[in-house]
C-alpha cells in the first residue's frame, strides 16, 4: 500500500465493488440494549450518604450551577463534629458530567456510576432533578464509574510545615515555640480552604473563618483582621491558644490534615502592625452613643469580649478588675511559651481603644460594693470566671507541696516563687497537665539543668485528652508520661512527700458514663 | 404544563365502524415503526447522531431514518442547546412539519440551559417554545441512550399517548407568548397555526389570546414570488 | 539562517524608540506600539520581514482604564516567529483603521470585534453583523454587559418539584442552598 | 422579525436568483448557512451566515473559574475536541509558569493524534456523502467509534473527554490500554486499504473532486489558510513541526503535501496524514511505558486559584488547521479574556466565499466539506 496516491493512476471503476466482500464478514452492529460502560465511565451521580458531610464544596466547583444543597432532616446535623444534614441534589438539566465534583469532594463520597440511560416524558421532567444516594438513578446498581483516585484528587491534603524551636533550645526558657507562618506559607495554607464554613459553624464564637482565610489567600491581611474582629476581640490570644474546634470540624480533615486555621489567624494578626489593627477596629466604632452605661466585673476573656461588643453598640462600659492586669486566666493560666504576654497586651489595648474603661485593682466587695455598681450603671455583668482549682481528694492531697493546677499556673505566670521542685509528678492527661509539666520542666531546667517530671494520665495513650502536638512536644522536652494509671494515695513521711501510690486504670467511666475510675 | 383536561374539546366524531379501534391501533403501530427524523443538527449532541444512524448502532433497524425536509419528517430532534437565532428556525421547522409530529429533546441544554445557562445567546427551556415528547439525558447522550429514547418514543406512539403536538394547537397563545417574549412583539412565522388548529379541530379557549391578537396586528401574509426569466 | 534573521529583526525593532520590544521566547515576540504606528509596523513586518500570515486579531476590554487593547498576531513562515503587536485604543472613540490592505484575511476578525465589542474598523470590507444578526442588545463581549442578568430577565428556569423533595419538605427539610446563592456569595451574607 | 429564509425578496429583473443553503440543509456541515446568488447553476457570489451555534463561549469563560473552564473548552469544536482542551491547558500552564510532567505531555500527544484520526474519518464520511457516496460515511462512523471506545476507557467520556487539566492529565491510563490502542490502530490501518479502494482510487470520486475549489498558493497565503488545506496547496507548514509544543519536537513525522489545491488534493493530504498519525501513535506507544513519573503537576486548590497576570498566545495544530488561543489573566480567579482563533473562522467564511465565486451550485457543499469547516468553531 503506498503512502501517496497519484490521481493520474486512476483506479479501476470496479474498485467500489470492494463492498461485496463485506457480505461475508460478521456484522459489527451492537445489540439494541445498552452496552456496559467503561470502568471509569462518567454516568449519573452516586453519593455515599454516610460519608457525605454536606460541606457543599461540590456545589461551589460546579461550573453549571447544577447542584442544589437539600436539607434532609433525618440525618445528623452537628457542626462541632463537622457534619451537616445537607446533601447535594443534581439537576441533570444543567449537569455536563465533567466530574469536577468527584475530584474535589473532600470526603470522597461522590462518585459517578456506569449508568447512562435516562429518558423521560414531558410530564415526568421532575426526574431530572435527583438526590443521589448509594444506588443509581433508577435504583439499580450499575457499579461505580469515575470515582476519587489519587491521581485526580484536587484536594491538597497536606499542611504547610510549621517551623518550631528545637526541644533543646526551648526547654530552658519561656520563649514562644511555634514560629508562625511566613507570608508565602500562609497564602499556600489559606489556598487549601474550600470555604465550606464548617469552621464558622463549629466555632463557639462563630468567627468568620472562611472570610478571613479567603482574605489571607488574597494577601489582604487587613481585611482578614477586619473579619476577625467581627466576632472576636481576642484574636491574638485565639491565634495561639484556641482549642481550635474549627480544625476538628474542617472538611479537609476528613481525609487529610485540616487547614491550620489557628495559625492563619495568628499570621494575620502578626502581619498587621498594632497601630493599624487599632485603626481597623476603630472602623467598628458606633455611629451613635446610646447613653447607657454598663459595669462589668472581671477583665477576663468573657468580661472583655462583652465589653468590646457592648462598646461597639454604643454603650459606655467600665470593667472592674481585682488584679493589676487584665486578661484573667489567659494571663495567669497559660504558660508564656504558648501565649506571650505581649500578645494579650495587644488584644487588651485594642479593646481599650474602643472606649472601654478598665479599673484595675478594684475588687468588688472590698474596694467597691455591688450596690454602688448597680447605682452607677444601667446594667452590671458578672464575668468572674472559674478560678478555683480542683483537687484529686486522695489521701494526703492536702499536703502543702501538693498543688492545684490553676494555682500553680497562676504562681508561675505571676512569677511568684514557689520553690521549684527537683522532681514532680503531674496528675492528669489533659492540656492543663501538659502546661504544668512543661512549665515545671522549664523552671527545673533553669534552676537545676535537668528535667525530672512524670505525668500520670488515667487514659490509655490512644485516647489522651491533650492535643497530640502537646504530648509530642512534652516528650521531646524530656517529660516522662505514664498512661492508664490513677493516683491512689500521696505518701508522706515526716511531713515530706516521698511518693505516690497508683493503680492501674481499667475504665474511667462507669456504665452510666459517670466519672468513676476503677 | 398547560395540559388542562378541560381544554380538550368534547366534540368527538362518532365512530360507528366496529373495526375502527383495531384500525387505529394498526395505524399507531405503523406510525411508530416508520419514523423520519429531521436532519437538523441544532447543537453539539448532533455529533452522536451519525453513529446512531450508521453501521455500529444502526437506528434504521428501528425504522428510523433521517429526512432532509421538514415537510416529510415526523420527529424533530433538538440536539442540545438552541441558540436564539436557531430557535427561530427550529420553531419554523416545527410548525412546517405535518401532524402528528414529535419533538425529542436531547442533552441537558434543552431542559434547563445546561452548560450554557449563563449564555445570552441560547434558549434555556425548550418546552417553553414548543411541546416536547421525550427528553434524553446526557451531555451528550451516548448512541445507546439515544436509541433507548427513540424506543420509548416509539412505544409512546404505539400506545397512542404521544399527542403533545396537539398541545401546541390547544395552547398556541402560551407558546406564542413565550416566543414573543424572546423575539420581540413583531415575531411571526409564515405558517398559519390557528388555521391548522381549526383543521384538526383542536381550537380551545387557550388557542387564541392576547398574544395571537398581537400577532394578527403585525402579520403579513406571504405573497407569491414573481418569477422572471 | 532564520536565527540570524531573527536577530536582525530584534536589533531593528529595538532601535525604534516609539515601540516597546520584548522577546518572550525563541518564537514569541511582543511589541507594544502606539495606535498611530500599527499599520506602518505591520506593513514593514509583512513587506520586509516575511510576516505574511495574520493568525488572529484579539481584542481585550480594559474597562477600568477606558481602553480597548488590540493584538495583532502575525507569523512568519520563514523566521518561524510570532510577533504580537499590542496597541491601545480609547474606549470612547471606539473606531480604528482596518488592516485589510495589508492582511486581507483580517476581515473576519475585524467584523467579529465589531459585533462583539462595537469597535468600528474603517476600510474593512464588511462591517455588517455576522454572528449576532438577530441580537439587538449591547455588544456582548464588553465587560459592562452582564450576561447573567440578561438571561434572568429573558428566560425562565425549570421549577422542579419531585416526590422526594415534597417528602423532605413535609419532614421539615427541603432546598437549603440554591446554586445561584452559593456560587456568588461565598458566605458573604450573614 | 421573521427569519430571512422566508422573507419574500423581490428578485431584480434578471436571471439571477438568491438561494439559501442551510441552516437546515443536508449539504451543510452542522448548523450553518450559506447564501448564494446564482445565475443558472453558476454561483456568482456567496455569503456565509454564521451564528446559529453561537453560545458566547468567550463571555462564558470570563465568568467561570480557571478550573471550571476545562469542562466548557472541548465543546467549542465538537468533532475534534482534544486540541481545545490541550490548548487551554497549555495557555494556563504558560501563564502560571507550570512545568508539565513528561508522561502527561506524551499522553496529550497520543490523545491529540487519536482525536485527529477520528476527525479525519468523520471528514471522509462527510465528503463522501456530498458526492452521493454514503458508504464512507457508514464505515467512517463505525471506525471512528472504535477510537471513541478507547477514549471512553481512558477518561470515561466518548466525545467530551475533559481529560486534560492545567498541569497534566486527570488520570493515568488503565491497565492494558496501550495494547488495545495499538491493536485498534493496527486494525484501522488495515481498513485504510478499503477506504482507498472505495474512495481515493475510485474514478467517480476522483473525477468528481478534481479541479473543483482550486486555491492557489498566493490566495491561500492571503486568506490565511492553515493546516491540511494549506498543505494541499503545496506549502508544507504545520504548527507541530514549525512551532512545536508538547513533545512534537522529539517525534519523527513528515508533512504530506499536494500541489493542486483542489478538493481532491485536500482529501489526499488528509489521507496521507493518516499514515503520519499512525507513525506518531506508534512512536508514542513505544515511548510511553518507559516514561514514568507523575501525570499531573500539583495544582492549587481550584476554588482558590489566582493565575498570575499576563497574556499568552498558544497555538496547536488541530485536524482542521492552526488553532490558537489568546488568554489574558488579570491575576484573578477567572480568565480576563480568552479569544479563540479557530481554523474554520478563515476556512468557512472567507475561503469558502472566495471559492464559491464561479463554482457550480452542486459543488458548494462539497467545497465546504473538503475545507473541513467546523461551524461551532466559527460561532463559538
Amino acid at each position: 500500500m503506498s503512502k501517496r496516491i497519484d490521481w493520474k493512476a486512476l483506479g479501476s471503476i470496479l474498485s467500489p465493488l470492494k463492498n461485496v466482500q463485506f457480505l461475508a464478514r460478521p456484522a459489527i452492529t451492537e445489540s439494541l440494549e445498552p452496552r456496559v460502560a467503561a470502568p471509569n465511565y462518567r454516568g449519573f451521580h452516586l453519593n455515599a450518604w454516610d460519608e457525605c458531610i454536606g460541606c457543599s464544596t461540590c456545589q461551589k466547583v460546579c461550573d453549571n450551577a447544577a447542584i442544589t444543597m437539600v436539607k434532609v432532616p433525618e440525618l445528623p446535623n452537628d457542626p462541632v463534629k463537622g457534619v451537616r444534614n445537607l446533601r447535594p441534589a443534581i439537576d441533570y438539566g444543567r449537569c455536563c458530567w465533567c466530574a469536577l465534583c468527584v475530584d474535589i469532594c473532600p470526603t470522597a463520597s461522590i462518585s459517578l456510576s456506569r449508568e447512562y440511560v435516562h429518558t423521560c416524558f414531558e410530564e415526568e421532567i421532575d426526574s431530572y432533578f435527583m438526590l443521589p444516594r448509594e444506588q443509581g438513578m433508577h435504583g439499580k446498581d450499575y457499579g461505580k464509574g469515575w470515582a476519587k483516585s489519587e491521581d485526580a484528587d484536587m484536594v491538597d491534603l497536606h499542611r504547610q510545615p510549621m517551623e518550631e524551636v528545637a526541644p533543646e533550645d526551648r526547654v530552658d526558657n519561656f520563649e514562644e515555640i511555634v514560629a508562625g507562618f511566613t507570608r508565602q506559607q500562609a497564602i499556600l495554607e489559606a489556598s487549601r480552604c474550600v470555604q465550606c464554613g464548617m469552621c464558622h459553624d463549629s466555632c463557639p464564637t462563630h468567627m468568620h473563618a472562611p472570610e478571613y482565610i479567603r482574605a489571607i489567600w488574597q494577601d489582604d491581611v487587613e481585611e482578614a483582621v477586619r473579619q476577625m474582629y467581627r466576632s472576636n476581640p481576642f484574636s491574638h490570644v485565639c491565634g495561639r491558644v484556641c482549642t481550635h474546634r474549627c480544625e476538628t470540624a474542617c472538611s479537609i480533615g476528613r481525609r487529610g490534615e485540616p487547614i491550620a486555621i489557628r495559625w492563619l489567624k495568628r499570621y494575620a494578626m502578626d502581619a498587621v502592625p498594632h497601630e493599624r489593627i487599632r485603626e481597623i477596629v476603630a472602623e467598628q466604632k458606633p455611629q451613635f452613643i446610646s447613653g447607657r452605661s454598663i459595669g462589668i466585673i472581671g477583665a477576663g476573656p468573657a468580661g472583655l469580649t462583652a465589653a468590646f461588643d457592648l462598646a461597639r453598640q454604643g454603650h459606655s462600659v467600665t470593667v472592674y478588675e481585682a488584679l493589676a492586669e487584665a486578661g484573667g486566666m489567659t494571663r495567669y493560666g497559660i504558660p508564656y511559651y504558648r501565649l506571650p504576654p505581649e500578645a494579650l497586651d495587644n488584644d487588651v489595648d485594642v479593646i481599650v481603644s474602643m472606649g472601654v474603661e478598665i479599673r484595675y485593682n478594684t475588687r468588688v466587695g472590698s474596694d467597691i460594693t455591688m450596690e454602688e455598681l448597680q447605682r452607677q450603671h444601667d446594667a452590671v455583668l458578672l464575668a468572674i470566671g472559674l478560678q478555683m482549682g480542683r483537687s484529686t481528694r486522695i489521701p494526703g492531697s492536702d499536703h502543702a507541696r501538693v498543688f492545684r493546677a490553676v494555682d500553680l499556673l497562676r504562681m508561675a505566670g505571676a512569677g511568684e516563687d514557689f520553690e521549684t521542685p527537683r522532681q514532680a509528678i503531674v496528675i492528669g492527661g489533659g492540656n492543663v497537665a501538659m502546661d504544668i509539666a512543661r512549665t515545671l520542666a522549664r523552671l527545673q531546667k533553669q534552676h537545676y539543668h535537668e528535667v525530672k517530671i512524670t505525668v500520670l494520665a488515667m487514659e490509655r495513650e490512644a485516647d489522651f485528652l491533650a492535643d497530640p502536638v502537646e504530648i509530642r512536644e512534652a516528650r521531646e522536652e524530656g517529660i516522662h508520661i505514664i498512661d492508664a494509671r490513677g493516683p491512689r494515695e500521696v505518701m508522706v513521711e515526716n511531713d515530706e512527700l516521698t511518693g505516690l501510690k497508683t493503680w492501674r486504670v481499667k475504665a474511667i467511666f462507669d456504665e452510666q458514663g459517670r466519672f468513676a475510675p476503677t | 404544563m398547560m395540559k388542562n383536561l378541560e381544554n380538550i374539546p368534547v366534540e368527538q366524531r362518532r365512530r360507528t365502524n366496529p373495526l375502527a379501534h383495531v384500525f387505529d391501533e394498526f395505524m399507531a403501530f405503523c406510525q411508530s415503526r416508520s419514523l423520519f427524523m429531521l436532519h437538523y443538527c441544532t447543537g453539539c449532541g448532533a455529533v452522536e447522531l451519525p453513529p446512531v444512524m450508521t453501521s455500529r448502532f444502526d437506528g434504521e433497524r428501528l425504522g428510523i431514518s433521517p429526512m432532509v425536509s421538514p415537510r416529510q419528517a415526523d420527529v424533530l430532534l433538538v440536539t442540545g442547546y438552541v441558540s436564539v437565532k436557531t430557535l427561530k428556525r427550529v420553531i419554523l421547522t416545527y410548525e412546517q412539519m405535518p401532524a402528528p409530529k414529535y419533538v425529542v429533546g436531547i442533552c441537558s441544554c434543552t431542559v434547563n440551559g445546561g452548560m450554557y445557562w449563563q449564555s445570552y445567546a441560547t434558549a434555556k427551556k425548550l418546552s417553553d417554545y414548543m411541546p416536547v415528547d421525550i427528553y434524553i439525558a446526557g451531555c451528550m447522550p451516548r448512541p445507546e441512550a439515544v436509541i433507548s429514547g427513540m424506543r420509548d418514543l416509539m412505544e409512546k406512539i404505539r400506545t397512542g399517548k404521544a399527542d403533545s403536538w396537539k398541545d401546541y394547537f390547544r395552547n398556541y397563545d402560551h407558546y406564542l407568548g413565550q416566543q414573543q417574549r424572546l423575539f420581540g412583539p413583531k415575531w411571526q412565522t409564515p405558517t398559519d397555526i390557528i388555521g391548522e388548529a381549526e383543521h384538526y379541530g383542536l381550537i380551545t379557549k387557550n388557542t387564541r389570546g392576547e398574544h395571537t391578537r398581537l400577532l394578527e396586528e403585525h402579520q403579513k401574509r406571504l405573497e407569491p414570488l414573481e418569477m422572471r426569466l | 539562517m532564520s536565527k540570524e534573521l531573527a536577530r536582525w529583526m530584534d536589533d531593528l525593532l529595538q532601535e525604534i524608540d516609539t515601540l516597546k520590544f520584548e522577546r518572550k521566547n525563541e518564537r514569541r515576540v511582543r511589541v507594544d506600539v502606539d495606535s498611530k504606528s500599527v499599520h506602518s509596523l505591520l506593513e514593514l513586518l509583512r513587506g520586509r520581514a516575511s510576516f505574511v500570515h495574520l493568525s488572529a486579531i484579539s481584542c481585550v476590554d480594559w474597562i477600568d482604564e477606558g481602553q480597548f487593547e488590540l493584538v495583532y498576531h502575525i507569523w512568519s513562515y520563514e523566521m518561524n516567529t510570532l510577533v504580537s503587536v499590542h496597541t491601545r485604543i480609547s474606549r470612547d472613540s471606539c473606531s480604528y483603521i482596518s488592516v485589510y490592505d495589508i492582511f486581507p484575511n483580517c476581515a473576519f476578525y475585524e467584523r467579529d470585534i465589531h459585533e462583539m465589542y462595537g469597535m468600528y474598523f474603517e476600510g474593512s470590507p464588511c462591517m455588517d453583523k455576522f454572528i449576532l444578526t438577530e441580537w439587538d442588545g449591547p455588544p456582548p463581549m464588553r465587560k459592562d454587559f452582564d450576561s447573567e442578568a440578561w438571561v434572568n430577565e429573558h428566560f425562565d428556569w425549570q421549577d422542579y418539584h419531585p416526590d422526594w423533595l415534597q417528602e423532605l419538605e413535609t419532614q421539615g427539610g427541603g432546598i437549603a442552598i440554591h446554586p445561584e446563592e452559593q456560587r456568588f456569595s461565598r458566605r458573604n451574607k450573614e | 422579525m421573521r427569519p430571512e429564509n422566508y422573507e419574500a425578496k423581490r428578485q431584480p429583473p434578471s436571471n439571477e436568483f438568491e438561494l439559501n443553503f442551510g441552516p437546515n440543509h443536508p449539504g451543510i456541515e452542522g448548523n450553518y448557512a450559506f447564501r448564494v446568488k446564482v445565475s443558472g447553476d453558476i454561483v456568482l457570489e456567496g455569503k456565509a451566515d454564521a451564528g446559529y451555534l453561537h453560545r458566547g463561549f468567550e463571555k462564558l469563560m470570563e465568568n467561570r473559574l480557571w478550573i471550571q473552564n476545562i469542562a466548557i473548552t472541548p465543546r467549542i469544536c465538537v468533532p475534534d475536541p482534544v486540541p481545545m482542551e490541550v490548548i487551554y491547558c497549555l495557555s494556563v500552564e504558560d501563564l502560571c509558569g507550570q512545568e508539565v510532567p513528561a508522561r502527561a505531555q506524551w499522553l496529550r500527544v497520543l490523545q491529540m493524534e487519536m482525536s485527529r484520526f477520528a476527525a479525519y474519518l468523520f471528514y471522509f464520511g462527510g465528503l463522501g456523502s456530498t458526492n452521493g457516496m454514503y458508504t464512507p460515511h457508514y464505515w467512517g462512523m463505525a471506525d471512528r467509534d472504535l477510537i471513541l471506545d478507547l477514549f471512553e476507557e481512558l477518561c470515561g467520556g466518548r466525545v467530551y473527554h475533559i481529560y486534560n487539566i492545567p498541569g497534566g492529565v486527570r488520570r493515568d491510563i488503565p491497565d492494558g490500554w496501550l495494547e488495545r490502542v495499538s491493536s485498534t490502530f493496527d486494525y484501522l490501518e488495515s481498513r485504510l486499504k478499503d477506504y482507498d479502494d472505495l474512495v481515493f482510487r475510485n474514478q467517480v470520486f476522483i473525477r468528481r473532486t478534481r479541479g473543483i475549489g482550486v486555491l492557489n498558493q498566493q490566495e491561500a497565503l492571503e486568506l490565511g489558510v492553515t493546516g491540511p488545506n494549506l498543505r494541499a496547496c503545496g506549502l508544507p507548514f504545520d504548527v507541530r513541526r514549525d512551532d512545536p509544543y508538547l513533545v512534537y519536537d522529539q517525534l519523527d513525522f513528515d508533512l504530506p503535501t499536494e500541489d493542486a489545491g483542489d478538493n481532491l488534493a485536500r482529501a489526499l493530504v488528509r489521507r496521507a496524514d493518516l499514515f503520519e498519525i499512525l507513525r506518531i501513535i506508534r512512536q508514542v506507544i513505544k515511548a510511553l511505558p518507559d516514561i514514568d513519573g507523575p501525570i499531573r503537576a500539583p495544582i492549587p486548590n481550584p476554588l482558590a486559584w489566582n493565575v498570575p497576570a499576563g497574556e499568552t498566545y498558544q497555538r496547536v495544530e488541530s485536524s482542521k488547521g492552526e488553532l490558537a488561543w489568546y488568554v489574558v489573566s488579570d491575576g484573578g480567579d477567572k480568565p480576563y479574556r480568552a479569544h479563540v482563533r479557530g481554523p474554520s473562522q478563515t476556512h468557512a467564511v472567507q475561503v469558502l466565499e472566495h471559492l464559491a465565486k464561479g463554482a457550480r451550485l452542486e459543488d458548494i457543499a462539497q467545497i465546504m466539506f473538503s475545507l473541513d469547516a467546523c461551524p461551532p468553531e466559527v460561532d463559538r
Side-chain angles (χ1 to χ4, degrees), chain D residues 126-194:
Chain D
L127 190 59
S129 307
T130 56
N131 294 320
M133 301 156 68
Y134 290 99
T135 319
H137 184 57
Y138 277 63
W139 285 8
M141 278 304 145
D143 287 340
R144 170 178 172 267
D145 232 71
L146 299 176
I147 302 177
L148 297 192
D149 281 355
L150 292 173
F151 271 122
E152 182 189 326
E153 217 179 314
L154 176 68
C155 54
R158 270 167 60 89
V159 178
Y160 291 148
H161 313 311
I162 322 180
Y163 180 63
N164 296 284
I165 189 169
V169 293
R170 279 170 87 180
R171 291 236 165 162
D172 212 334
I173 49 176
D175 289 338
W177 186 73
L178 278 184
E179 288 83 68
R180 286 192 285 280
V181 174
S182 179
S183 61
T184 304
F185 278 93
D186 287 346
Y187 167 74
L188 289 174
E189 187 175 20
S190 73
R191 291 279 291 160
L192 293 183
K193 197 171 168 339
D194 298 339

Side-chain angles (χ1 to χ4, degrees), chain C residues 18-182:
Chain C
T18 49
L19 57 83
K20 217 173 93 203
F21 172 87
E22 183 193 349
R23 181 166 274 279
K24 289 178 140 184
N25 63 32
E26 205 188 326
R27 291 185 300 273
R28 293 281 186 283
V29 171
R30 178 190 165 132
V31 177
D32 281 279
V33 67
D34 190 76
S35 63
K36 282 178 224 140
S37 327
V38 169
H39 296 79
S40 32
L41 178 67
L42 291 179
E43 201 146 4
L44 179 82
L45 287 172
R46 189 195 143 90
R48 302 279 162 175
S50 77
F51 283 83
V52 292
H53 177 55
L54 174 71
S55 184
I57 308 174
S58 310
C59 182
V60 189
D61 181 5
W62 296 101
I63 189 164
D64 294 338
E65 289 136 61
Q67 283 172 328
F68 283 126
E69 183 177 17
L70 283 178
V71 192
Y72 294 81
H73 308 281
I74 51 175
W75 171 260
S76 159
Y77 287 112
E78 278 164 41
M79 245 187 268
N80 278 358
T81 301
L82 187 115
V83 177
S84 295
V85 180
H86 294 241
T87 189
R88 299 255 182 156
I89 285 131
S90 158
R91 221 163 167 273
D92 306 323
S93 72
C94 218
S95 124
Y96 197 53
I97 297 161
S98 164
V99 292
Y100 186 66
D101 49 342
I102 313 170
F103 296 105
N105 70 323
C106 70
F108 175 84
Y109 307 113
E110 289 179 349
R111 199 173 172 187
D112 194 56
I113 292 170
H114 175 237
E115 63 183 349
M116 295 296 174
Y117 288 93
M119 166 142 41
Y120 192 82
F121 286 89
E122 284 167 47
S124 198
C126 183
M127 281 280 112
D128 296 345
K129 284 198 168 182
F130 182 52
I131 287 168
L132 301 173
T133 44
E134 276 141 58
W135 169 259
D136 39 16
M141 282 299 292
R142 286 192 177 204
K143 284 277 173 190
D144 44 8
F145 172 69
D146 184 352
S147 183
E148 207 166 314
W150 193 91
V151 165
N152 284 327
E153 200 178 305
H154 284 77
F155 299 103
D156 296 329
W157 302 109
Q158 283 289 356
D159 189 18
Y160 300 112
H161 209 231
D163 296 340
W164 58 262
L165 186 59
Q166 291 171 20
E167 212 171 281
L168 284 180
E169 275 167 1
T170 54
Q171 291 167 18
I175 287 172
I177 312 170
H178 281 285
E180 287 80 6
E181 286 166 24
Q182 175 68 272

Side-chain angles (χ1 to χ4, degrees), chain A residues 3 42 103 147 153 191 193, chain D residues 155 160 171 271 296 301:
Chain A
K3 273 197 174 176
R42 300 195 304 260
D103 288 355
D153 197 354
S191 80
C193 175
Chain D
C155 54
Y160 291 148
R171 291 236 165 162
R271 175 202 163 272
R296 181 164 66 113
N301 175 7

Side-chain angles (χ1 to χ4, degrees), chain C residues 9-19:
Chain C
M9 189 188 71
D10 287 12
D11 292 345
L12 191 75
L13 289 178
Q14 267 157 350
E15 292 282 300
I16 307 173
D17 295 336
T18 49
L19 57 83

